[in-house]
Amino acid sequence: MSSQGSAIPVSSSVTSSVEHERLSWGRYPRVKHRQVWRVEWADQVPSILDHVPPHGLLPYGLGRSYGDCCLNAGGELIDCSSLDRFLAADFDEGWVRCEGGTSLADIIKIIVPRGFFLPVTPGTKFVTVGGAIANDVHGKNHHRRGTFGRHVRRLALCRSGQGTVFCGPDENAELFRATIGGLGLTGVILWAEIQLIPIAGSNINVEVLPFRSLEKFLALTAESDAAFEYTVAWIDCFASRETRGLFFRGNHANTSPSKPARVYTPRIAFPLPKGLLNGFTIKAFNQAYFSWKSWRRGSSIQPYERFFYPLDSIGQWNLLYGRQGFLQYQCVIPESAPALERILQTISQSSMGSFLGVLKRFGAAQSPGLLSFPRPGLTLALDFAMRGESTLQLLQSLDELVLGAGGALYPAKDARMSPAMFEASFPAWRDLRPYIDDKLSSSFWRRVTGTEPS
Amino acid sequence: MKRIIVLGATSGIAEAVERKMAAGRHELLLVARSPERLAVLREDLLIRGATQVLTFVADFDSPADCVRLFDFARQSFPDFDTVLLAYGSMPDQEQCKHSIDLTARQLHTDFVSAACILTLFADYLEERKTGCLAVITSVAGDRGRRSNYVYGSAKGGLSHFLEGLRARLHASGVRVITIKPGPVDTKMTAHLPRDTSFASPMRVASDIYRSLQRGRPDILYTPRYWRYVMLCVRALPEWIFKRQHKI
């Protein structure tokens, strides 16, 4: 029979696989889950929520969070990545309503030919809408449009004991605020309605400007943020004498590529040996990248994939960091603070940084999210291959600098911050607590709030 | 542009193929049991680009439903040229082993009902002298294995049925495609432990979609390497095969 049905018990209607390990993008920490439920239809969600013990479950999407906020050690996951259908769309007003597991890649594929784009997109398109909301993600246009959560018109949560609850800026507004950046703890996001932006073409007009000091970066960003939709900088955290990097700024162009983008993407098949990414190779890469781009400075027209998602062109690039995985460190600090200089110094002295250093100035646009990470200031994101205690110690010392400057760390990228650091970054976390669904919890939440599952 | 009927439209593989069809701007008639899921699917496929999507609620186990469906298709979706039969269920062999009921029900769903409904559509297409019947069976039908012989025999029977049907329809120009996927990562195989032999529904769907476009090959193994695996498995002499405990 067509293998579906309404009144089938959970065990036969839903895929549960214990064999499939679920990791986060950083592949650290590695934890065991008691059970992973795979749902293919939204009508299967309530029965799973009802079955699990309190604090036992966490929604999981495409696993692109870096640390442990998409993991639930010892508990269960509900893998929503197959809840990926479009439920409604209006291409006059420019919005789509899609299920929580729909990837941004899927949305882009549908909306770009119709002359729309996502109002906010992170550096990878392989995240789900549910995950983008739960982490209130941001992009290169934060200074203009703020976070993803600001463009959510309405969403539906499946909550234990309550069934489906709708919320939006004007409807259950408190629950809505808790859900934006709510780390997936306020209920399973069944669907969300996203406001889109109109574009004249899918290409991006890009300008690349090399800089050789932090002051130059600040001047560039101050000058560009008003006139450019997208601004971001790559920094070379191995250049010890100077802070050098490349400043990228761009706007939507009114042209589209004449031929469709290349479909073939190479894929890294296995974790590379850990010696391969070392100080020497990264330094060489950074030098080459900086020189190449400095030579090719100036304006160009790029397809949007290349501008927004350069790393998506290498499948599973996280395996570059080898078996032990990696940690990403993303902090935001108030712009006035000289702490950024010291943070960069500490990193370059440690020689443990990597080639993916990103610097951006956040704007003042306030997110509705209670636990939203972006706030006015400078944000720095950097990868560190996991090399055990020494890596953790370095990040610990960075924590102190960030804390001293009144900054914050990004939960979506964190696997190790202390409860004290979390308290300082997100004093509002206690206000989130009343909205958390009894059945939901995550490794991250238990770690940073110092609570263990009952 | 084709007019395609999908039987068992809410199954994992079927949905992946339907998305390809939608992107190719085809017209679809989706048939499954659950009206709610069909409604969701319809909206999704329209947004993904399908020109037209009709839905019909039917239980393929019921011959009356099959006839109703066929009448509906002729009247409301005339001139359809492609039928993809994608429904099926995989029983728990352990339970089937000693149950006449379960075994009979299983054979009915996976073989008898499919053969009946194909008979209706085959006549229609034969008369029109064009079109394509594509049916998802399984590599499991190539040989009766101790661990899965009820499902295997139903799918094997269906493959044989299709072989005969293909020969019959050959003269009329109607294509019959037997689709034999290896294990696919969908809800039908939920109870099986996952290993590297599992293919993604998207992978299988693009093979199926391509074969529907071209009307060939007669027998499609997907992913492709199963053709060679099954060549070896079929070549094993029975006196060895019966002693294999693992397969």
Side-chain angles (χ1 to χ4, degrees), chain B residues 163-187:
Chain B
E163 207 172 347
L165 194 61
R166 181 180 304 117
R168 173 192 140 192
L169 296 178
H170 178 69
S172 69
V174 177
R175 304 283 192 168
V176 177
I177 303 174
T178 308
I179 301 161
K180 296 183 177 178
V184 182
D185 192 2
T186 62
K187 56 184 178 286

PDB file of all heavy atoms in Angstrom, chain B residues 163-187:
ATOM      1  N   GLU B 163       7.429  -7.982 -17.620  1.00  0.00           N
ATOM      2  CA  GLU B 163       8.165  -8.545 -18.749  1.00  0.00           C
ATOM      3  C   GLU B 163       7.185  -8.973 -19.840  1.00  0.00           C
ATOM      4  O   GLU B 163       7.352  -8.668 -21.023  1.00  0.00           O
ATOM      5  CB  GLU B 163       8.971  -9.744 -18.246  1.00  0.00           C
ATOM      6  CG  GLU B 163      10.209 -10.037 -19.028  1.00  0.00           C
ATOM      7  CD  GLU B 163      11.052 -11.115 -18.346  1.00  0.00           C
ATOM      8  OE1 GLU B 163      10.805 -11.449 -17.154  1.00  0.00           O
ATOM      9  OE2 GLU B 163      11.944 -11.635 -19.009  1.00  0.00           O
ATOM     10  N   GLY B 164       6.121  -9.658 -19.378  1.00  0.00           N
ATOM     11  CA  GLY B 164       5.106 -10.111 -20.329  1.00  0.00           C
ATOM     12  C   GLY B 164       4.359  -8.944 -20.946  1.00  0.00           C
ATOM     13  O   GLY B 164       4.113  -8.890 -22.153  1.00  0.00           O
ATOM     14  N   LEU B 165       4.013  -7.986 -20.095  1.00  0.00           N
ATOM     15  CA  LEU B 165       3.275  -6.818 -20.559  1.00  0.00           C
ATOM     16  C   LEU B 165       4.080  -6.041 -21.605  1.00  0.00           C
ATOM     17  O   LEU B 165       3.549  -5.558 -22.604  1.00  0.00           O
ATOM     18  CB  LEU B 165       2.966  -5.924 -19.355  1.00  0.00           C
ATOM     19  CG  LEU B 165       1.936  -4.821 -19.539  1.00  0.00           C
ATOM     20  CD1 LEU B 165       0.578  -5.415 -19.902  1.00  0.00           C
ATOM     21  CD2 LEU B 165       1.813  -3.989 -18.266  1.00  0.00           C
ATOM     22  N   ARG B 166       5.373  -5.946 -21.345  1.00  0.00           N
ATOM     23  CA  ARG B 166       6.264  -5.219 -22.263  1.00  0.00           C
ATOM     24  C   ARG B 166       6.234  -5.871 -23.645  1.00  0.00           C
ATOM     25  O   ARG B 166       6.113  -5.189 -24.674  1.00  0.00           O
ATOM     26  CB  ARG B 166       7.688  -5.204 -21.714  1.00  0.00           C
ATOM     27  CG  ARG B 166       8.681  -4.451 -22.580  1.00  0.00           C
ATOM     28  CD  ARG B 166      10.076  -4.471 -21.977  1.00  0.00           C
ATOM     29  NE  ARG B 166      10.081  -3.941 -20.634  1.00  0.00           N
ATOM     30  CZ  ARG B 166      10.406  -4.611 -19.536  1.00  0.00           C
ATOM     31  NH1 ARG B 166      10.794  -5.881 -19.616  1.00  0.00           N
ATOM     32  NH2 ARG B 166      10.368  -4.055 -18.367  1.00  0.00           N
ATOM     33  N   ALA B 167       6.308  -7.209 -23.625  1.00  0.00           N
ATOM     34  CA  ALA B 167       6.286  -7.937 -24.891  1.00  0.00           C
ATOM     35  C   ALA B 167       4.960  -7.719 -25.611  1.00  0.00           C
ATOM     36  O   ALA B 167       4.910  -7.506 -26.824  1.00  0.00           O
ATOM     37  CB  ALA B 167       6.518  -9.425 -24.631  1.00  0.00           C
ATOM     38  N   ARG B 168       3.883  -7.718 -24.803  1.00  0.00           N
ATOM     39  CA  ARG B 168       2.564  -7.539 -25.411  1.00  0.00           C
ATOM     40  C   ARG B 168       2.410  -6.147 -26.009  1.00  0.00           C
ATOM     41  O   ARG B 168       1.865  -5.976 -27.097  1.00  0.00           O
ATOM     42  CB  ARG B 168       1.495  -7.767 -24.334  1.00  0.00           C
ATOM     43  CG  ARG B 168       0.089  -7.454 -24.802  1.00  0.00           C
ATOM     44  CD  ARG B 168      -0.909  -7.402 -23.647  1.00  0.00           C
ATOM     45  NE  ARG B 168      -1.847  -6.317 -23.834  1.00  0.00           N
ATOM     46  CZ  ARG B 168      -2.687  -5.877 -22.905  1.00  0.00           C
ATOM     47  NH1 ARG B 168      -2.681  -6.429 -21.691  1.00  0.00           N
ATOM     48  NH2 ARG B 168      -3.515  -4.894 -23.158  1.00  0.00           N
ATOM     49  N   LEU B 169       2.905  -5.130 -25.284  1.00  0.00           N
ATOM     50  CA  LEU B 169       2.683  -3.754 -25.720  1.00  0.00           C
ATOM     51  C   LEU B 169       3.725  -3.273 -26.729  1.00  0.00           C
ATOM     52  O   LEU B 169       3.596  -2.191 -27.288  1.00  0.00           O
ATOM     53  CB  LEU B 169       2.682  -2.812 -24.512  1.00  0.00           C
ATOM     54  CG  LEU B 169       1.548  -3.032 -23.506  1.00  0.00           C
ATOM     55  CD1 LEU B 169       1.679  -2.079 -22.333  1.00  0.00           C
ATOM     56  CD2 LEU B 169       0.182  -2.867 -24.176  1.00  0.00           C
ATOM     57  N   HIS B 170       4.760  -4.086 -26.928  1.00  0.00           N
ATOM     58  CA  HIS B 170       5.860  -3.652 -27.786  1.00  0.00           C
ATOM     59  C   HIS B 170       5.359  -3.206 -29.158  1.00  0.00           C
ATOM     60  O   HIS B 170       5.735  -2.153 -29.669  1.00  0.00           O
ATOM     61  CB  HIS B 170       6.877  -4.779 -27.939  1.00  0.00           C
ATOM     62  CG  HIS B 170       8.011  -4.412 -28.835  1.00  0.00           C
ATOM     63  ND1 HIS B 170       8.946  -3.473 -28.479  1.00  0.00           N
ATOM     64  CD2 HIS B 170       8.350  -4.826 -30.090  1.00  0.00           C
ATOM     65  CE1 HIS B 170       9.815  -3.326 -29.462  1.00  0.00           C
ATOM     66  NE2 HIS B 170       9.475  -4.137 -30.449  1.00  0.00           N
ATOM     67  N   ALA B 171       4.472  -4.009 -29.723  1.00  0.00           N
ATOM     68  CA  ALA B 171       3.992  -3.719 -31.068  1.00  0.00           C
ATOM     69  C   ALA B 171       3.236  -2.398 -31.115  1.00  0.00           C
ATOM     70  O   ALA B 171       3.251  -1.691 -32.124  1.00  0.00           O
ATOM     71  CB  ALA B 171       3.097  -4.858 -31.558  1.00  0.00           C
ATOM     72  N   SER B 172       2.576  -2.051 -30.027  1.00  0.00           N
ATOM     73  CA  SER B 172       1.769  -0.825 -30.030  1.00  0.00           C
ATOM     74  C   SER B 172       2.607   0.415 -29.734  1.00  0.00           C
ATOM     75  O   SER B 172       2.100   1.535 -29.765  1.00  0.00           O
ATOM     76  CB  SER B 172       0.646  -0.939 -29.008  1.00  0.00           C
ATOM     77  OG  SER B 172       1.201  -0.933 -27.712  1.00  0.00           O
ATOM     78  N   GLY B 173       3.871   0.210 -29.397  1.00  0.00           N
ATOM     79  CA  GLY B 173       4.735   1.364 -29.145  1.00  0.00           C
ATOM     80  C   GLY B 173       4.681   1.873 -27.718  1.00  0.00           C
ATOM     81  O   GLY B 173       5.302   2.877 -27.394  1.00  0.00           O
ATOM     82  N   VAL B 174       3.924   1.203 -26.858  1.00  0.00           N
ATOM     83  CA  VAL B 174       3.874   1.618 -25.456  1.00  0.00           C
ATOM     84  C   VAL B 174       5.085   1.042 -24.727  1.00  0.00           C
ATOM     85  O   VAL B 174       5.378  -0.147 -24.838  1.00  0.00           O
ATOM     86  CB  VAL B 174       2.568   1.141 -24.787  1.00  0.00           C
ATOM     87  CG1 VAL B 174       2.561   1.520 -23.312  1.00  0.00           C
ATOM     88  CG2 VAL B 174       1.369   1.719 -25.498  1.00  0.00           C
ATOM     89  N   ARG B 175       5.773   1.906 -23.999  1.00  0.00           N
ATOM     90  CA  ARG B 175       6.964   1.476 -23.276  1.00  0.00           C
ATOM     91  C   ARG B 175       6.591   0.956 -21.904  1.00  0.00           C
ATOM     92  O   ARG B 175       5.750   1.528 -21.231  1.00  0.00           O
ATOM     93  CB  ARG B 175       7.916   2.656 -23.080  1.00  0.00           C
ATOM     94  CG  ARG B 175       8.310   3.333 -24.352  1.00  0.00           C
ATOM     95  CD  ARG B 175       9.324   2.492 -25.044  1.00  0.00           C
ATOM     96  NE  ARG B 175       9.958   3.214 -26.131  1.00  0.00           N
ATOM     97  CZ  ARG B 175      11.041   2.777 -26.740  1.00  0.00           C
ATOM     98  NH1 ARG B 175      11.595   1.648 -26.370  1.00  0.00           N
ATOM     99  NH2 ARG B 175      11.569   3.456 -27.726  1.00  0.00           N
ATOM    100  N   VAL B 176       7.269  -0.094 -21.486  1.00  0.00           N
ATOM    101  CA  VAL B 176       7.106  -0.580 -20.118  1.00  0.00           C
ATOM    102  C   VAL B 176       8.490  -0.603 -19.473  1.00  0.00           C
ATOM    103  O   VAL B 176       9.414  -1.237 -19.983  1.00  0.00           O
ATOM    104  CB  VAL B 176       6.484  -1.989 -20.088  1.00  0.00           C
ATOM    105  CG1 VAL B 176       6.407  -2.500 -18.650  1.00  0.00           C
ATOM    106  CG2 VAL B 176       5.101  -1.964 -20.721  1.00  0.00           C
ATOM    107  N   ILE B 177       8.633   0.139 -18.384  1.00  0.00           N
ATOM    108  CA  ILE B 177       9.929   0.215 -17.710  1.00  0.00           C
ATOM    109  C   ILE B 177       9.830  -0.432 -16.337  1.00  0.00           C
ATOM    110  O   ILE B 177       8.968  -0.079 -15.532  1.00  0.00           O
ATOM    111  CB  ILE B 177      10.384   1.679 -17.543  1.00  0.00           C
ATOM    112  CG1 ILE B 177      10.436   2.379 -18.905  1.00  0.00           C
ATOM    113  CG2 ILE B 177      11.736   1.753 -16.854  1.00  0.00           C
ATOM    114  CD1 ILE B 177      10.733   3.866 -18.806  1.00  0.00           C
ATOM    115  N   THR B 178      10.682  -1.418 -16.112  1.00  0.00           N
ATOM    116  CA  THR B 178      10.760  -2.036 -14.797  1.00  0.00           C
ATOM    117  C   THR B 178      11.875  -1.344 -14.027  1.00  0.00           C
ATOM    118  O   THR B 178      13.031  -1.396 -14.431  1.00  0.00           O
ATOM    119  CB  THR B 178      11.084  -3.539 -14.924  1.00  0.00           C
ATOM    120  OG1 THR B 178      10.148  -4.123 -15.836  1.00  0.00           O
ATOM    121  CG2 THR B 178      10.997  -4.230 -13.583  1.00  0.00           C
ATOM    122  N   ILE B 179      11.507  -0.682 -12.948  1.00  0.00           N
ATOM    123  CA  ILE B 179      12.506   0.057 -12.172  1.00  0.00           C
ATOM    124  C   ILE B 179      12.891  -0.776 -10.957  1.00  0.00           C
ATOM    125  O   ILE B 179      12.037  -1.145 -10.151  1.00  0.00           O
ATOM    126  CB  ILE B 179      11.949   1.423 -11.718  1.00  0.00           C
ATOM    127  CG1 ILE B 179      11.538   2.256 -12.933  1.00  0.00           C
ATOM    128  CG2 ILE B 179      12.968   2.165 -10.865  1.00  0.00           C
ATOM    129  CD1 ILE B 179      10.585   3.382 -12.605  1.00  0.00           C
ATOM    130  N   LYS B 180      14.167  -1.106 -10.869  1.00  0.00           N
ATOM    131  CA  LYS B 180      14.619  -1.929  -9.744  1.00  0.00           C
ATOM    132  C   LYS B 180      15.621  -1.160  -8.890  1.00  0.00           C
ATOM    133  O   LYS B 180      16.821  -1.207  -9.150  1.00  0.00           O
ATOM    134  CB  LYS B 180      15.273  -3.207 -10.255  1.00  0.00           C
ATOM    135  CG  LYS B 180      14.316  -4.118 -11.006  1.00  0.00           C
ATOM    136  CD  LYS B 180      15.007  -5.402 -11.411  1.00  0.00           C
ATOM    137  CE  LYS B 180      14.040  -6.346 -12.106  1.00  0.00           C
ATOM    138  NZ  LYS B 180      14.715  -7.579 -12.554  1.00  0.00           N
ATOM    139  N   PRO B 181      15.117  -0.454  -7.872  1.00  0.00           N
ATOM    140  CA  PRO B 181      16.053   0.251  -6.992  1.00  0.00           C
ATOM    141  C   PRO B 181      16.677  -0.714  -5.993  1.00  0.00           C
ATOM    142  O   PRO B 181      16.056  -1.714  -5.622  1.00  0.00           O
ATOM    143  CB  PRO B 181      15.174   1.273  -6.258  1.00  0.00           C
ATOM    144  CG  PRO B 181      13.779   1.067  -6.754  1.00  0.00           C
ATOM    145  CD  PRO B 181      13.730  -0.243  -7.460  1.00  0.00           C
ATOM    146  N   GLY B 182      17.894  -0.414  -5.583  1.00  0.00           N
ATOM    147  CA  GLY B 182      18.457  -1.076  -4.414  1.00  0.00           C
ATOM    148  C   GLY B 182      17.770  -0.479  -3.199  1.00  0.00           C
ATOM    149  O   GLY B 182      16.791   0.236  -3.330  1.00  0.00           O
ATOM    150  N   PRO B 183      18.263  -0.771  -1.994  1.00  0.00           N
ATOM    151  CA  PRO B 183      17.643  -0.169  -0.821  1.00  0.00           C
ATOM    152  C   PRO B 183      17.739   1.355  -0.868  1.00  0.00           C
ATOM    153  O   PRO B 183      18.774   1.900  -1.232  1.00  0.00           O
ATOM    154  CB  PRO B 183      18.456  -0.718   0.353  1.00  0.00           C
ATOM    155  CG  PRO B 183      19.479  -1.619  -0.200  1.00  0.00           C
ATOM    156  CD  PRO B 183      19.364  -1.675  -1.673  1.00  0.00           C
ATOM    157  N   VAL B 184      16.640   2.012  -0.548  1.00  0.00           N
ATOM    158  CA  VAL B 184      16.591   3.472  -0.585  1.00  0.00           C
ATOM    159  C   VAL B 184      16.190   3.978   0.797  1.00  0.00           C
ATOM    160  O   VAL B 184      15.390   3.361   1.487  1.00  0.00           O
ATOM    161  CB  VAL B 184      15.575   3.964  -1.645  1.00  0.00           C
ATOM    162  CG1 VAL B 184      15.579   5.482  -1.712  1.00  0.00           C
ATOM    163  CG2 VAL B 184      15.900   3.374  -3.002  1.00  0.00           C
ATOM    164  N   ASP B 185      16.773   5.088   1.134  1.00  0.00           N
ATOM    165  CA  ASP B 185      16.591   5.681   2.450  1.00  0.00           C
ATOM    166  C   ASP B 185      15.221   6.373   2.557  1.00  0.00           C
ATOM    167  O   ASP B 185      15.130   7.584   2.463  1.00  0.00           O
ATOM    168  CB  ASP B 185      17.723   6.695   2.634  1.00  0.00           C
ATOM    169  CG  ASP B 185      17.820   7.159   4.067  1.00  0.00           C
ATOM    170  OD1 ASP B 185      17.056   6.674   4.908  1.00  0.00           O
ATOM    171  OD2 ASP B 185      18.674   8.028   4.334  1.00  0.00           O
ATOM    172  N   THR B 186      14.152   5.598   2.704  1.00  0.00           N
ATOM    173  CA  THR B 186      12.816   6.186   2.822  1.00  0.00           C
ATOM    174  C   THR B 186      12.078   5.547   3.987  1.00  0.00           C
ATOM    175  O   THR B 186      12.610   4.665   4.652  1.00  0.00           O
ATOM    176  CB  THR B 186      11.959   5.930   1.569  1.00  0.00           C
ATOM    177  OG1 THR B 186      11.783   4.511   1.433  1.00  0.00           O
ATOM    178  CG2 THR B 186      12.604   6.484   0.319  1.00  0.00           C
ATOM    179  N   LYS B 187      10.829   5.965   4.187  1.00  0.00           N
ATOM    180  CA  LYS B 187      10.116   5.426   5.343  1.00  0.00           C
ATOM    181  C   LYS B 187       9.723   3.965   5.168  1.00  0.00           C
ATOM    182  O   LYS B 187       9.500   3.267   6.141  1.00  0.00           O
ATOM    183  CB  LYS B 187       8.911   6.293   5.703  1.00  0.00           C
ATOM    184  CG  LYS B 187       7.899   6.522   4.604  1.00  0.00           C
ATOM    185  CD  LYS B 187       6.829   7.495   5.113  1.00  0.00           C
ATOM    186  CE  LYS B 187       5.785   7.816   4.060  1.00  0.00           C
ATOM    187  NZ  LYS B 187       6.297   8.731   3.015  1.00  0.00           N
TER     188      LYS B 187
END
